[in-house]
Amino acid sequence: MELFQKYPIEVQLEVLAELIDKAKGTEFGKKYGFEDIRSYEDFAARVPVAPYEEMEPYIERARLGEENVFWPTPIRWFAKSSGTTNAKSKFIPVSEESLEERHYTAAKDLLCIYLNNHPDSQLFTGKGLRLGGSKQLYKENGTAFGDLSAILIDNMPLWASISSTPNNRVSLMDDWETKLPAIVNDCIEENVTSMAGVPSWMMVLLDKVLEKTGKKHLLEVYFHGGVSFEPYNEQYKKLLPSDDFRYYEIYNASEGFFAAQDQSHSKDLLLMLNYGIFYEFIPMQTFGTAHQKIIPLSEVESGVNYAMVISSNAGLWRYMIGDTERFTSTRH
């Protein structure tokens, strides 16, 4: 993290070069001449910016088991996301590389950030309460799709699995009405020191745990994301009134793990630049116009709203994820 904070542009260009080199033999790479791309300018000139609808034909072929379409290693998992403009669900490819180099690396980085900021932490004296999606993984044509959280839990490395609660069987239950009491029963005997999940559902679960046990265990931190935490802030303070309890925000989506809060005293998030994602941005004042401008990280400015465009180690190329961001600072 210190390296990419010191050399953000160089790290991003290195990520792009590695992505292009790895995918040059794919059908997508051959179509757009990845073999001959030598710079960001070449990449931007050759590869069109695409919403989900334009990537969908490639993704559907991969879902049917076809390989080497837009990424060289087999894509076995697809994160089912919310609907697009035509009201259909999106199926976001999740590669082995994106699991290892992005999501699981992010989990370790988040722990490192937290422990660096709080060297007196007792985090590892207990377990982390994880709250995953309430959908199962559905097998289809040799591939699987479901909530990203379910995919992450289903493939979780041993180091993460043994330090988490509830167990995988309970975490991957489909029916929420059955799942909620099962989670409560599985975790009430554990010493829980941290929580991770979406604020709305975590509040329901936490309420049930406190109702049944009356204990707050040794909870010291909540890693949250998915939605704004502001509407839940006061409710959590009532549930967990300790002044020592900490909140850390993350920016994670089906398309990638993008940013994390890296300072305890600031709610700003640090954009993670070395997770196999190359970032581009469209200033919102030009979005959708005849003069739409697309810029790399080196050209962003503070205080401007941007639509995010990513190329990733799961085979998304200049993909518009549908989110908007604003940089509070271009220096760390």
Side-chain angles (χ1 to χ4, degrees):
M1 284 182 282
E2 289 176 350
L3 181 68
F4 75 65
Q5 288 176 59
K6 190 173 182 180
Y7 303 105
I9 309 309
E10 292 85 348
V11 167
Q12 272 285 278
L13 290 175
E14 187 175 297
V15 167
L16 178 62
E18 290 174 354
L19 291 174
I20 291 171
D21 184 64
K22 187 148 189 176
K24 63 187 178 184
T26 65
E27 180 181 319
F28 192 95
K30 291 176 180 177
K31 179 178 180 180
Y32 292 104
F34 280 16
E35 182 76 48
D36 301 318
I37 291 177
R38 297 290 180 268
S39 66
Y40 165 69
E41 288 72 22
D42 289 347
F43 177 70
R46 292 185 182 213
V47 182
V49 171
Y52 180 79
E53 288 79 6
E54 292 179 21
M55 283 293 300
E56 186 178 25
Y58 295 101
I59 292 172
E60 283 303 301
R61 287 168 56 191
R63 283 187 65 209
L64 293 173
E66 195 171 339
E67 297 184 5
N68 213 38
V69 180
F70 48 77
W71 191 247
T73 59
I75 305 287
R76 300 187 181 91
W77 308 284
F78 294 84
K80 188 176 181 181
S81 189
S82 54
T84 58
T85 52
N86 58 14
K88 292 171 63 178
S89 292
K90 296 190 291 185
F91 293 90
I92 305 301
V94 180
S95 66
E96 185 74 43
E97 292 89 345
S98 66
L99 285 176
E100 294 295 336
E101 299 169 14
R102 187 190 310 166
H103 295 290
Y104 298 140
T105 295
K108 288 182 279 189
D109 283 350
L110 193 59
L111 289 174
C112 291
I113 288 170
Y114 180 76
L115 294 170
N116 184 64
N117 291 342
H118 307 284
D120 59 341
S121 169
Q122 298 298 304
L123 199 67
F124 292 136
T125 64
K127 291 190 174 184
L129 173 59
R130 63 189 181 190
L131 184 56
S134 57
K135 294 178 182 176
Q136 293 177 338
L137 293 172
Y138 300 98
K139 302 294 179 182
E140 183 177 283
N141 302 305
T143 62
F145 67 90
D147 281 2
L148 174 66
S149 55
I151 294 172
L152 295 178
I153 290 170
D154 199 40
N155 294 281
M156 191 169 282
L158 182 62
W159 66 265
S161 187
I162 61 176
S163 61
S164 302
T165 188
N167 62 52
N168 283 19
R169 180 188 62 82
V170 172
S171 292
L172 294 174
M173 281 183 173
D174 188 28
D175 180 57
W176 177 252
E177 297 301 321
T178 305
K179 182 176 183 172
L180 183 58
I183 294 175
V184 173
N185 290 332
D186 200 58
C187 72
I188 56 175
E189 299 303 323
E190 300 283 0
N191 175 26
V192 177
T193 54
S194 66
M195 309 183 300
V198 176
S200 53
W201 290 111
M202 184 59 78
M203 181 172 289
V204 174
L205 173 60
L206 190 58
D207 215 18
K208 292 291 184 184
V209 171
L210 296 177
E211 179 184 302
K212 185 161 185 174
T213 67
K215 299 178 185 176
K216 295 182 176 65
H217 300 267
L218 293 176
L219 277 170
E220 64 170 87
V221 61
Y222 175 27
F223 300 105
H224 61 87
V227 296
S228 170
F229 191 67
E230 287 301 318
Y232 304 97
N233 197 22
E234 292 303 316
Q235 293 168 280
Y236 271 91
K237 283 183 179 179
K238 290 177 182 178
L239 279 173
L240 302 165
S242 171
D243 292 335
D244 296 326
F245 191 76
R246 298 152 184 155
Y247 299 88
Y248 272 71
E249 186 171 1
I250 62 172
Y251 177 14
N252 193 17
S254 298
E255 294 86 355
F257 193 108
F258 302 127
Q261 181 180 335
D262 67 321
Q263 302 291 332
S264 58
H265 59 271
S266 172
K267 294 183 179 180
D268 289 349
L269 307 185
L270 174 66
L271 187 66
M272 298 303 205
L273 303 180
N274 62 342
Y275 288 170
I277 298 174
F278 179 76
Y279 296 98
E280 295 175 271
F281 302 91
I282 303 173
M284 287 306 296
Q285 63 264 36
T286 73
F287 185 84
T289 70
H291 305 289
Q292 178 169 279
K293 188 178 181 182
I294 304 163
I295 60 173
L297 184 66
S298 59
E299 297 180 29
V300 299
E301 299 176 3
S302 300
V304 177
N305 290 330
Y306 294 102
M308 185 187 282
V309 176
I310 65 167
S311 299
S312 79
N313 56 2
L316 295 175
W317 297 104
R318 304 197 84 194
Y319 175 78
M320 293 190 290
I321 70 170
D323 289 358
T324 59
E325 289 74 31
R326 182 174 67 252
F327 287 82
T328 55
S329 173
T330 55
R331 297 177 61 86
H332 191 267

mmCIF file of all heavy atoms in Angstrom, residues 40-74:
data_model
loop_
_atom_site.group_PDB
_atom_site.id
_atom_site.type_symbol
_atom_site.label_atom_id
_atom_site.label_comp_id
_atom_site.label_asym_id
_atom_site.label_seq_id
_atom_site.Cartn_x
_atom_site.Cartn_y
_atom_site.Cartn_z
ATOM 1 N N TYR A 40 -1.183 3.209 -22.659
ATOM 2 C CA TYR A 40 -2.583 3.461 -22.288
ATOM 3 C C TYR A 40 -3.337 4.082 -23.454
ATOM 4 O O TYR A 40 -4.498 3.759 -23.708
ATOM 5 C CB TYR A 40 -2.669 4.375 -21.058
ATOM 6 C CG TYR A 40 -4.071 4.932 -20.869
ATOM 7 C CD1 TYR A 40 -5.122 4.098 -20.489
ATOM 8 C CD2 TYR A 40 -4.344 6.279 -21.133
ATOM 9 C CE1 TYR A 40 -6.406 4.586 -20.363
ATOM 10 C CE2 TYR A 40 -5.631 6.776 -21.006
ATOM 11 C CZ TYR A 40 -6.665 5.918 -20.611
ATOM 12 O OH TYR A 40 -7.951 6.400 -20.490
ATOM 13 N N GLU A 41 -2.664 4.965 -24.174
ATOM 14 C CA GLU A 41 -3.308 5.630 -25.304
ATOM 15 C C GLU A 41 -3.735 4.623 -26.365
ATOM 16 O O GLU A 41 -4.823 4.737 -26.953
ATOM 17 C CB GLU A 41 -2.362 6.680 -25.900
ATOM 18 C CG GLU A 41 -2.155 7.908 -25.047
ATOM 19 C CD GLU A 41 -1.304 7.659 -23.797
ATOM 20 O OE1 GLU A 41 -0.534 6.667 -23.788
ATOM 21 O OE2 GLU A 41 -1.418 8.444 -22.834
ATOM 22 N N ASP A 42 -2.893 3.604 -26.627
ATOM 23 C CA ASP A 42 -3.256 2.540 -27.572
ATOM 24 C C ASP A 42 -4.507 1.803 -27.078
ATOM 25 O O ASP A 42 -5.431 1.529 -27.843
ATOM 26 C CB ASP A 42 -2.113 1.518 -27.700
ATOM 27 C CG ASP A 42 -0.909 2.061 -28.444
ATOM 28 O OD1 ASP A 42 -1.037 3.123 -29.075
ATOM 29 O OD2 ASP A 42 0.158 1.414 -28.377
ATOM 30 N N PHE A 43 -4.494 1.461 -25.797
ATOM 31 C CA PHE A 43 -5.612 0.724 -25.181
ATOM 32 C C PHE A 43 -6.905 1.525 -25.300
ATOM 33 O O PHE A 43 -7.948 0.996 -25.723
ATOM 34 C CB PHE A 43 -5.274 0.447 -23.715
ATOM 35 C CG PHE A 43 -6.373 -0.238 -22.936
ATOM 36 C CD1 PHE A 43 -6.709 -1.560 -23.180
ATOM 37 C CD2 PHE A 43 -7.050 0.452 -21.940
ATOM 38 C CE1 PHE A 43 -7.717 -2.191 -22.456
ATOM 39 C CE2 PHE A 43 -8.049 -0.171 -21.208
ATOM 40 C CZ PHE A 43 -8.389 -1.494 -21.463
ATOM 41 N N ALA A 44 -6.853 2.805 -24.941
ATOM 42 C CA ALA A 44 -8.046 3.646 -24.970
ATOM 43 C C ALA A 44 -8.569 3.836 -26.392
ATOM 44 O O ALA A 44 -9.780 3.955 -26.612
ATOM 45 C CB ALA A 44 -7.742 5.006 -24.335
ATOM 46 N N ALA A 45 -7.662 3.865 -27.366
ATOM 47 C CA ALA A 45 -8.074 4.064 -28.758
ATOM 48 C C ALA A 45 -8.706 2.813 -29.356
ATOM 49 O O ALA A 45 -9.579 2.904 -30.228
ATOM 50 C CB ALA A 45 -6.866 4.497 -29.591
ATOM 51 N N ARG A 46 -8.282 1.635 -28.889
ATOM 52 C CA ARG A 46 -8.735 0.383 -29.505
ATOM 53 C C ARG A 46 -9.966 -0.227 -28.845
ATOM 54 O O ARG A 46 -10.802 -0.820 -29.526
ATOM 55 C CB ARG A 46 -7.604 -0.655 -29.471
ATOM 56 C CG ARG A 46 -6.441 -0.300 -30.362
ATOM 57 C CD ARG A 46 -5.424 -1.412 -30.364
ATOM 58 N NE ARG A 46 -4.277 -1.043 -31.200
ATOM 59 C CZ ARG A 46 -3.577 -1.899 -31.909
ATOM 60 N NH1 ARG A 46 -3.903 -3.179 -31.900
ATOM 61 N NH2 ARG A 46 -2.552 -1.497 -32.628
ATOM 62 N N VAL A 47 -10.039 -0.141 -27.533
ATOM 63 C CA VAL A 47 -11.092 -0.856 -26.796
ATOM 64 C C VAL A 47 -12.217 0.110 -26.430
ATOM 65 O O VAL A 47 -11.982 1.125 -25.779
ATOM 66 C CB VAL A 47 -10.518 -1.505 -25.521
ATOM 67 C CG1 VAL A 47 -11.598 -2.296 -24.788
ATOM 68 C CG2 VAL A 47 -9.334 -2.404 -25.864
ATOM 69 N N PRO A 48 -13.452 -0.193 -26.832
ATOM 70 C CA PRO A 48 -14.565 0.716 -26.525
ATOM 71 C C PRO A 48 -15.003 0.593 -25.071
ATOM 72 O O PRO A 48 -14.881 -0.465 -24.454
ATOM 73 C CB PRO A 48 -15.676 0.230 -27.465
ATOM 74 C CG PRO A 48 -15.381 -1.231 -27.670
ATOM 75 C CD PRO A 48 -13.879 -1.347 -27.651
ATOM 76 N N VAL A 49 -15.507 1.691 -24.526
ATOM 77 C CA VAL A 49 -16.122 1.654 -23.203
ATOM 78 C C VAL A 49 -17.470 0.948 -23.339
ATOM 79 O O VAL A 49 -18.212 1.188 -24.291
ATOM 80 C CB VAL A 49 -16.303 3.082 -22.644
ATOM 81 C CG1 VAL A 49 -17.136 3.074 -21.373
ATOM 82 C CG2 VAL A 49 -14.949 3.706 -22.387
ATOM 83 N N ALA A 50 -17.779 0.063 -22.389
ATOM 84 C CA ALA A 50 -18.964 -0.780 -22.556
ATOM 85 C C ALA A 50 -19.796 -0.878 -21.283
ATOM 86 O O ALA A 50 -19.254 -1.122 -20.204
ATOM 87 C CB ALA A 50 -18.532 -2.185 -22.984
ATOM 88 N N PRO A 51 -21.127 -0.716 -21.399
ATOM 89 C CA PRO A 51 -22.013 -1.061 -20.293
ATOM 90 C C PRO A 51 -22.219 -2.574 -20.270
ATOM 91 O O PRO A 51 -21.732 -3.298 -21.160
ATOM 92 C CB PRO A 51 -23.309 -0.331 -20.651
ATOM 93 C CG PRO A 51 -23.309 -0.331 -22.154
ATOM 94 C CD PRO A 51 -21.861 -0.194 -22.552
ATOM 95 N N TYR A 52 -22.964 -3.063 -19.291
ATOM 96 C CA TYR A 52 -23.157 -4.511 -19.166
ATOM 97 C C TYR A 52 -23.784 -5.112 -20.423
ATOM 98 O O TYR A 52 -23.397 -6.205 -20.849
ATOM 99 C CB TYR A 52 -24.049 -4.825 -17.959
ATOM 100 C CG TYR A 52 -24.269 -6.316 -17.782
ATOM 101 C CD1 TYR A 52 -23.285 -7.114 -17.195
ATOM 102 C CD2 TYR A 52 -25.438 -6.933 -18.235
ATOM 103 C CE1 TYR A 52 -23.464 -8.481 -17.058
ATOM 104 C CE2 TYR A 52 -25.624 -8.296 -18.099
ATOM 105 C CZ TYR A 52 -24.636 -9.076 -17.509
ATOM 106 O OH TYR A 52 -24.815 -10.426 -17.388
ATOM 107 N N GLU A 53 -24.736 -4.400 -21.012
ATOM 108 C CA GLU A 53 -25.444 -4.953 -22.167
ATOM 109 C C GLU A 53 -24.506 -5.316 -23.309
ATOM 110 O O GLU A 53 -24.766 -6.257 -24.065
ATOM 111 C CB GLU A 53 -26.505 -3.955 -22.653
ATOM 112 C CG GLU A 53 -27.704 -3.822 -21.736
ATOM 113 C CD GLU A 53 -27.435 -2.949 -20.519
ATOM 114 O OE1 GLU A 53 -26.339 -2.334 -20.441
ATOM 115 O OE2 GLU A 53 -28.314 -2.881 -19.650
ATOM 116 N N GLU A 54 -23.396 -4.586 -23.436
ATOM 117 C CA GLU A 54 -22.458 -4.876 -24.521
ATOM 118 C C GLU A 54 -21.474 -5.983 -24.158
ATOM 119 O O GLU A 54 -20.897 -6.622 -25.040
ATOM 120 C CB GLU A 54 -21.717 -3.599 -24.914
ATOM 121 C CG GLU A 54 -22.644 -2.580 -25.569
ATOM 122 C CD GLU A 54 -21.931 -1.293 -25.944
ATOM 123 O OE1 GLU A 54 -20.688 -1.313 -26.067
ATOM 124 O OE2 GLU A 54 -22.624 -0.259 -26.106
ATOM 125 N N MET A 55 -21.267 -6.205 -22.855
ATOM 126 C CA MET A 55 -20.411 -7.310 -22.406
ATOM 127 C C MET A 55 -21.192 -8.611 -22.277
ATOM 128 O O MET A 55 -20.624 -9.704 -22.267
ATOM 129 C CB MET A 55 -19.792 -6.980 -21.038
ATOM 130 C CG MET A 55 -18.627 -6.009 -21.066
ATOM 131 S SD MET A 55 -17.148 -6.684 -21.889
ATOM 132 C CE MET A 55 -16.775 -8.117 -20.875
ATOM 133 N N GLU A 56 -22.517 -8.500 -22.201
ATOM 134 C CA GLU A 56 -23.361 -9.657 -21.898
ATOM 135 C C GLU A 56 -23.177 -10.835 -22.859
ATOM 136 O O GLU A 56 -23.121 -11.995 -22.407
ATOM 137 C CB GLU A 56 -24.829 -9.243 -21.847
ATOM 138 C CG GLU A 56 -25.754 -10.368 -21.387
ATOM 139 C CD GLU A 56 -27.199 -9.917 -21.295
ATOM 140 O OE1 GLU A 56 -27.578 -8.958 -21.995
ATOM 141 O OE2 GLU A 56 -27.959 -10.543 -20.530
ATOM 142 N N PRO A 57 -23.071 -10.635 -24.186
ATOM 143 C CA PRO A 57 -22.895 -11.799 -25.071
ATOM 144 C C PRO A 57 -21.638 -12.609 -24.735
ATOM 145 O O PRO A 57 -21.662 -13.842 -24.777
ATOM 146 C CB PRO A 57 -22.805 -11.160 -26.463
ATOM 147 C CG PRO A 57 -23.531 -9.864 -26.340
ATOM 148 C CD PRO A 57 -23.228 -9.380 -24.955
ATOM 149 N N TYR A 58 -20.554 -11.924 -24.401
ATOM 150 C CA TYR A 58 -19.320 -12.619 -23.999
ATOM 151 C C TYR A 58 -19.537 -13.372 -22.682
ATOM 152 O O TYR A 58 -19.125 -14.523 -22.525
ATOM 153 C CB TYR A 58 -18.176 -11.622 -23.817
ATOM 154 C CG TYR A 58 -17.737 -10.916 -25.066
ATOM 155 C CD1 TYR A 58 -18.143 -9.610 -25.325
ATOM 156 C CD2 TYR A 58 -16.895 -11.528 -25.987
ATOM 157 C CE1 TYR A 58 -17.724 -8.943 -26.470
ATOM 158 C CE2 TYR A 58 -16.464 -10.872 -27.129
ATOM 159 C CZ TYR A 58 -16.887 -9.579 -27.364
ATOM 160 O OH TYR A 58 -16.467 -8.914 -28.508
ATOM 161 N N ILE A 59 -20.190 -12.700 -21.736
ATOM 162 C CA ILE A 59 -20.418 -13.306 -20.413
ATOM 163 C C ILE A 59 -21.316 -14.529 -20.513
ATOM 164 O O ILE A 59 -21.069 -15.550 -19.868
ATOM 165 C CB ILE A 59 -21.015 -12.252 -19.450
ATOM 166 C CG1 ILE A 59 -19.967 -11.172 -19.151
ATOM 167 C CG2 ILE A 59 -21.497 -12.896 -18.153
ATOM 168 C CD1 ILE A 59 -20.497 -9.989 -18.359
ATOM 169 N N GLU A 60 -22.353 -14.442 -21.344
ATOM 170 C CA GLU A 60 -23.268 -15.584 -21.494
ATOM 171 C C GLU A 60 -22.545 -16.799 -22.063
ATOM 172 O O GLU A 60 -22.815 -17.934 -21.667
ATOM 173 C CB GLU A 60 -24.454 -15.195 -22.379
ATOM 174 C CG GLU A 60 -25.500 -14.353 -21.662
ATOM 175 C CD GLU A 60 -26.037 -15.064 -20.426
ATOM 176 O OE1 GLU A 60 -26.582 -16.167 -20.554
ATOM 177 O OE2 GLU A 60 -25.891 -14.513 -19.314
ATOM 178 N N ARG A 61 -21.629 -16.578 -22.974
ATOM 179 C CA ARG A 61 -20.859 -17.705 -23.525
ATOM 180 C C ARG A 61 -19.997 -18.350 -22.442
ATOM 181 O O ARG A 61 -19.881 -19.572 -22.365
ATOM 182 C CB ARG A 61 -20.003 -17.222 -24.692
ATOM 183 C CG ARG A 61 -20.817 -16.909 -25.950
ATOM 184 C CD ARG A 61 -19.978 -16.168 -26.970
ATOM 185 N NE ARG A 61 -18.773 -16.910 -27.323
ATOM 186 C CZ ARG A 61 -17.770 -16.403 -28.033
ATOM 187 N NH1 ARG A 61 -17.826 -15.137 -28.447
ATOM 188 N NH2 ARG A 61 -16.709 -17.145 -28.323
ATOM 189 N N ALA A 62 -19.410 -17.522 -21.599
ATOM 190 C CA ALA A 62 -18.602 -18.047 -20.496
ATOM 191 C C ALA A 62 -19.469 -18.792 -19.492
ATOM 192 O O ALA A 62 -19.062 -19.827 -18.944
ATOM 193 C CB ALA A 62 -17.849 -16.906 -19.813
ATOM 194 N N ARG A 63 -20.669 -18.299 -19.247
ATOM 195 C CA ARG A 63 -21.598 -18.985 -18.330
ATOM 196 C C ARG A 63 -21.988 -20.365 -18.847
ATOM 197 O O ARG A 63 -22.281 -21.270 -18.065
ATOM 198 C CB ARG A 63 -22.862 -18.149 -18.122
ATOM 199 C CG ARG A 63 -22.676 -16.961 -17.178
ATOM 200 C CD ARG A 63 -24.004 -16.295 -16.910
ATOM 201 N NE ARG A 63 -24.891 -17.198 -16.195
ATOM 202 C CZ ARG A 63 -26.216 -17.195 -16.270
ATOM 203 N NH1 ARG A 63 -26.830 -16.347 -17.068
ATOM 204 N NH2 ARG A 63 -26.932 -18.040 -15.574
ATOM 205 N N LEU A 64 -21.988 -20.521 -20.161
ATOM 206 C CA LEU A 64 -22.307 -21.813 -20.761
ATOM 207 C C LEU A 64 -21.100 -22.745 -20.790
ATOM 208 O O LEU A 64 -21.171 -23.849 -21.320
ATOM 209 C CB LEU A 64 -22.849 -21.615 -22.178
ATOM 210 C CG LEU A 64 -24.209 -20.911 -22.267
ATOM 211 C CD1 LEU A 64 -24.564 -20.607 -23.719
ATOM 212 C CD2 LEU A 64 -25.294 -21.774 -21.624
ATOM 213 N N GLY A 65 -19.980 -22.291 -20.233
ATOM 214 C CA GLY A 65 -18.805 -23.154 -20.106
ATOM 215 C C GLY A 65 -17.714 -22.897 -21.114
ATOM 216 O O GLY A 65 -16.662 -23.547 -21.071
ATOM 217 N N GLU A 66 -17.906 -21.950 -22.034
ATOM 218 C CA GLU A 66 -16.886 -21.659 -23.041
ATOM 219 C C GLU A 66 -15.705 -20.952 -22.372
ATOM 220 O O GLU A 66 -15.890 -20.075 -21.525
ATOM 221 C CB GLU A 66 -17.485 -20.777 -24.138
ATOM 222 C CG GLU A 66 -16.634 -20.718 -25.391
ATOM 223 C CD GLU A 66 -17.349 -20.026 -26.540
ATOM 224 O OE1 GLU A 66 -18.598 -19.946 -26.518
ATOM 225 O OE2 GLU A 66 -16.639 -19.567 -27.454
ATOM 226 N N GLU A 67 -14.498 -21.318 -22.749
ATOM 227 C CA GLU A 67 -13.304 -20.752 -22.130
ATOM 228 C C GLU A 67 -12.542 -19.835 -23.090
ATOM 229 O O GLU A 67 -12.752 -19.865 -24.298
ATOM 230 C CB GLU A 67 -12.381 -21.877 -21.637
ATOM 231 C CG GLU A 67 -13.009 -22.738 -20.552
ATOM 232 C CD GLU A 67 -12.066 -23.789 -19.998
ATOM 233 O OE1 GLU A 67 -10.883 -23.800 -20.391
ATOM 234 O OE2 GLU A 67 -12.513 -24.612 -19.170
ATOM 235 N N ASN A 68 -11.663 -19.028 -22.507
ATOM 236 C CA ASN A 68 -10.790 -18.138 -23.267
ATOM 237 C C ASN A 68 -11.563 -17.122 -24.114
ATOM 238 O O ASN A 68 -11.111 -16.720 -25.185
ATOM 239 C CB ASN A 68 -9.844 -18.947 -24.170
ATOM 240 C CG ASN A 68 -8.496 -18.265 -24.341
ATOM 241 O OD1 ASN A 68 -7.967 -17.674 -23.402
ATOM 242 N ND2 ASN A 68 -7.942 -18.346 -25.540
ATOM 243 N N VAL A 69 -12.711 -16.707 -23.621
ATOM 244 C CA VAL A 69 -13.515 -15.725 -24.350
ATOM 245 C C VAL A 69 -12.980 -14.322 -24.097
ATOM 246 O O VAL A 69 -12.616 -13.599 -25.021
ATOM 247 C CB VAL A 69 -15.003 -15.805 -23.946
ATOM 248 C CG1 VAL A 69 -15.822 -14.766 -24.714
ATOM 249 C CG2 VAL A 69 -15.556 -17.202 -24.210
ATOM 250 N N PHE A 70 -12.922 -13.925 -22.815
ATOM 251 C CA PHE A 70 -12.407 -12.597 -22.474
ATOM 252 C C PHE A 70 -11.342 -12.647 -21.379
ATOM 253 O O PHE A 70 -10.762 -11.629 -21.034
ATOM 254 C CB PHE A 70 -13.550 -11.662 -22.040
ATOM 255 C CG PHE A 70 -14.486 -12.286 -21.021
ATOM 256 C CD1 PHE A 70 -14.124 -12.405 -19.691
ATOM 257 C CD2 PHE A 70 -15.736 -12.758 -21.419
ATOM 258 C CE1 PHE A 70 -14.967 -12.970 -18.761
ATOM 259 C CE2 PHE A 70 -16.596 -13.332 -20.494
ATOM 260 C CZ PHE A 70 -16.201 -13.448 -19.163
ATOM 261 N N TRP A 71 -11.098 -13.864 -20.834
ATOM 262 C CA TRP A 71 -10.058 -14.047 -19.826
ATOM 263 C C TRP A 71 -9.466 -15.440 -20.016
ATOM 264 O O TRP A 71 -10.204 -16.383 -20.305
ATOM 265 C CB TRP A 71 -10.627 -13.878 -18.417
ATOM 266 C CG TRP A 71 -9.568 -13.806 -17.356
ATOM 267 C CD1 TRP A 71 -9.332 -14.723 -16.377
ATOM 268 C CD2 TRP A 71 -8.589 -12.780 -17.189
ATOM 269 N NE1 TRP A 71 -8.264 -14.337 -15.599
ATOM 270 C CE2 TRP A 71 -7.783 -13.133 -16.077
ATOM 271 C CE3 TRP A 71 -8.300 -11.599 -17.867
ATOM 272 C CZ2 TRP A 71 -6.726 -12.342 -15.641
ATOM 273 C CZ3 TRP A 71 -7.244 -10.811 -17.425
ATOM 274 C CH2 TRP A 71 -6.472 -11.190 -16.325
ATOM 275 N N PRO A 72 -8.143 -15.609 -19.891
ATOM 276 C CA PRO A 72 -7.514 -16.878 -20.280
ATOM 277 C C PRO A 72 -7.766 -18.059 -19.339
ATOM 278 O O PRO A 72 -7.728 -19.200 -19.783
ATOM 279 C CB PRO A 72 -6.016 -16.532 -20.321
ATOM 280 C CG PRO A 72 -5.869 -15.371 -19.400
ATOM 281 C CD PRO A 72 -7.134 -14.583 -19.539
ATOM 282 N N THR A 73 -7.990 -17.803 -18.052
ATOM 283 C CA THR A 73 -8.246 -18.918 -17.131
ATOM 284 C C THR A 73 -9.751 -19.153 -17.033
ATOM 285 O O THR A 73 -10.545 -18.226 -17.243
ATOM 286 C CB THR A 73 -7.666 -18.629 -15.734
ATOM 287 O OG1 THR A 73 -8.254 -17.436 -15.217
ATOM 288 C CG2 THR A 73 -6.151 -18.461 -15.805
ATOM 289 N N PRO A 74 -10.186 -20.376 -16.728
ATOM 290 C CA PRO A 74 -11.623 -20.670 -16.683
ATOM 291 C C PRO A 74 -12.366 -19.790 -15.674
ATOM 292 O O PRO A 74 -11.888 -19.561 -14.565
ATOM 293 C CB PRO A 74 -11.654 -22.139 -16.248
ATOM 294 C CG PRO A 74 -10.320 -22.688 -16.633
ATOM 295 C CD PRO A 74 -9.352 -21.562 -16.448
#
